[in-house]
Amino acid sequence: MNGKPKTESRDYMRIKPIDNGVVIDHLHPGIGLFILGLLDYRGLTVTPGLNYTSDKSWLPEDQDFLRDKDTDLIVPRSSVSGGLEGEYDMERYKTVRRKDIIYMEGGTLTSDQQGAVSVVWPQSTIDKIVDGVVVEKLHPVPTPDELGDILLCSNKKCTTNTEGGSRRFRVINPPSEDDPFRVQCCYCEKEFYGPLVKFYTGQTLRDVTAGVGFLKSAK
Amino acid sequence: MASENLYDKFKGRHVISIRDFNRQDLEFILRESSKMADRLKNDLPGVRELLKGRRMGLIFYEPSTRTVLSFATEMDLLGGTVEGIRDPKSSSAAKGEVLMDTIQVMSGYFFDTFVIRHYDDGSVRRASEFSVYPENNPEEGQLIPVLNGGDGSNQHPTQTMLDLYTVHHEFGTLDGLTYLLNNDLKNGRTVHSLIEALTMFNPKKVYCCSSSHLPMPEHIVAECKSKGMDVEEIRRYEDVLGEVDVLYDTRPQLEREPITEDLKEKIRSVYTVRAKPISELAKREMIIMHPLPRDRTVNSPEYAVDKLPQARYFQQSHNGIPVRAALTCLTQGVRI
């Protein structure tokens, strides 16, 4: 049979480690493309990896987890409010550990973009790589005190929606298991809770992560 | 903080939201307003020239009686002048100009301060970011103070300040009093700002009296409680009238509510402040406040209440003059 041997083909398909840039790792399977959609990667070489098998679980080890029957997502037991099927078979889960991952060659994340990652999936890891070395590792990803144009105000009467212009949001509660994610628009002063927080793409957290732990527990 | 530092803190400062102020700031404003009221009432020397040569730009995109007139009057009394937009139909807003552009244009017209009322939430905060003297002014780069005259359903801080002044003027304090906020606690921005301001003081108790259709928003009640305020929601104001010091009535904005006419009529009936229960149950020293206007279709407080010794809503509206005059002076760096 002609053609390249299988092993060579596999090597060709394998992602080459990046020398300079950012890797967003341990994303919950299914949200990698959403995160990618929030990033400005014009001019950069970007590789999204979806449903990769993972050597390391993105789940914290000291918590119990349940499976949300609506979304099939694994969520911390301590941060859900209902709609769950029951205890998840962790042994089975460990055999099918998956994650999404994003490689951005030559890029960096703005505070706003890092904030977006922290809001959508704080258990992820952001590695900053310089000359092939991880010079900064963020895990869990911290939420900045203020977010900007990455979000939209959900108040239709807010001047940021009627007249446009830049946006600013004060983070009242960063995502956590105890309290829902809360932000306040610095202009109209209205507050918004987890699932209603809207990104500039028009999607809300609920659109992407309905049923995911701390987001579902929002009031 | 000493008064000297507070004078410095207020010079060139915007007045956008009650949340931008702390207790010390508000007490300073009340003291300065009291001094201003005294100077105006007694026509003390120099009061008519406090703002001589200063120009106030009024930018009103929504109807106003008390706010626009009290600002214009205080400027007139203190020797300043007023110019601006009182009807958006006669300005470039009618051609689609956004407020951000209007304020950038007017910033170059040698105004010393702006008062803005606009229908969009947050619009005055946005406008304040562009309120800076441009290249044609000797003070290029300096802020031009913006006073918020009401931005949509968000904030009306000078109304809250004159409400606090009215209570303080009557009781000499804002602490230790029992407040009753009545009727439309859902749609009224004045009661939202007032209860928020009261969290900076130590009220004995705050009753929120409304129908279940017009309650104080849950997150506001929760925030007040988290700051230690004793808040209780009730359905009939007569039940607690005997212990109340300040009854703050509001206009029910039923036009915003998708409820039946029968229910609207019931709300009007139950929550109207009437002379009979006031006379029979309220303390003589209690005061009745209302931000006005009084809707003639609702008539609350009913006209008979006007004659009771507790009625203060007209004096409350008059207090807009010294409070707004004091704020204008303070933000201009003028000592009262």
Side-chain angles (χ1 to χ4, degrees), chain B residues 22 32 66 105 142 177 197 206 233 241 248 264 268 325:
Chain B
N22 59 28
E32 295 296 304
R66 280 158 294 280
V105 170
Q142 297 292 308
L177 301 174
V206 178
E233 295 182 84
L241 211 44
Y248 196 101
K264 288 179 183 178
R268 288 189 189 104

Side-chain angles (χ1 to χ4, degrees), chain B residues 166-177:
Chain B
T166 302
V167 176
H168 193 269
H169 183 69
E170 290 293 331
F171 295 98
T173 180
L174 295 166
D175 298 323
L177 301 174

Side-chain angles (χ1 to χ4, degrees), chain A residues 36-69:
Chain A
L36 190 59
L38 295 177
L39 306 179
D40 180 6
Y41 53 84
R42 284 172 293 183
L44 301 177
T45 302
V46 174
T47 311
L50 307 179
N51 266 333
Y52 273 33
T53 52
S54 175
D55 296 335
K56 182 181 164 189
S57 171
W58 41 264
L59 297 172
E61 292 171 357
D62 57 349
Q63 292 182 32
D64 290 334
F65 292 88
L66 301 173
R67 187 175 73 85
D68 187 316
K69 65 183 178 184

Side-chain angles (χ1 to χ4, degrees), chain A residues 49-193:
Chain A
L50 307 179
N51 266 333
Y52 273 33
T53 52
S54 175
D55 296 335
K56 182 181 164 189
S57 171
W58 41 264
L59 297 172
E61 292 171 357
D62 57 349
Q63 292 182 32
D64 290 334
F65 292 88
L66 301 173
R67 187 175 73 85
D68 187 316
K69 65 183 178 184
D70 295 329
T71 61
D72 208 33
L73 294 176
I74 312 302
V75 296
R77 178 202 288 275
S78 57
S79 60
V80 294
S81 56
L84 299 171
E85 202 171 51
E87 286 192 41
Y88 186 69
D89 181 351
M90 288 302 291
E91 287 307 312
R92 179 176 166 273
Y93 175 73
K94 283 174 186 169
T95 64
V96 290
R97 244 174 351 209
R98 300 277 176 180
K99 68 176 182 182
D100 286 355
I101 187 167
I102 297 169
Y103 299 86
M104 289 180 70
E105 178 87 53
T108 57
L109 295 185
T110 64
S111 167
D112 235 20
Q113 291 170 333
Q114 178 192 311
V117 175
S118 80
V119 167
V120 178
W121 199 248
Q123 299 99 317
S124 59
T125 304
I126 295 178
D127 290 328
K128 186 177 178 188
I129 297 168
V130 177
D131 294 333
V133 177
V134 177
V135 295
E136 186 181 52
K137 183 184 279 287
L138 298 175
H139 177 80
V141 180
T143 307
D145 296 335
E146 195 168 290
L147 292 168
D149 288 339
I150 200 91
L151 299 183
L152 278 181
C153 183
S154 297
N155 173 15
K156 287 179 184 169
K157 284 197 68 190
C158 178
T159 187
T160 60
N161 290 318
T162 56
E163 292 204 348
S166 61
R167 302 179 287 277
R168 285 191 297 124
F169 299 85
R170 186 169 68 90
V171 175
I172 299 171
N173 281 342
S176 75
E177 290 176 30
D178 301 325
D179 291 308
F181 174 54
R182 277 170 68 200
V183 290
Q184 181 188 37
C185 173
C186 292
Y187 292 95
C188 74
E189 304 188 3
K190 299 284 185 294
E191 291 182 17
F192 305 100
Y193 294 85

Side-chain angles (χ1 to χ4, degrees), chain B residues 123-173:
Chain B
S123 52
V124 182
R125 171 101 49 205
R126 168 76 82 210
S128 71
E129 293 172 352
F130 295 91
S131 183
V132 178
Y133 288 114
E135 75 296 333
N136 67 348
N137 196 291
E139 295 186 58
E140 181 181 356
Q142 297 292 308
L143 289 181
I144 309 172
V146 170
L147 309 176
N148 186 355
D151 60 322
S153 63
N154 185 34
Q155 284 276 335
H156 193 0
T158 63
Q159 175 70 44
T160 307
M161 289 168 185
L162 77 88
D163 290 344
L164 296 176
Y165 175 81
T166 302
V167 176
H168 193 269
H169 183 69
E170 290 293 331
F171 295 98
T173 180

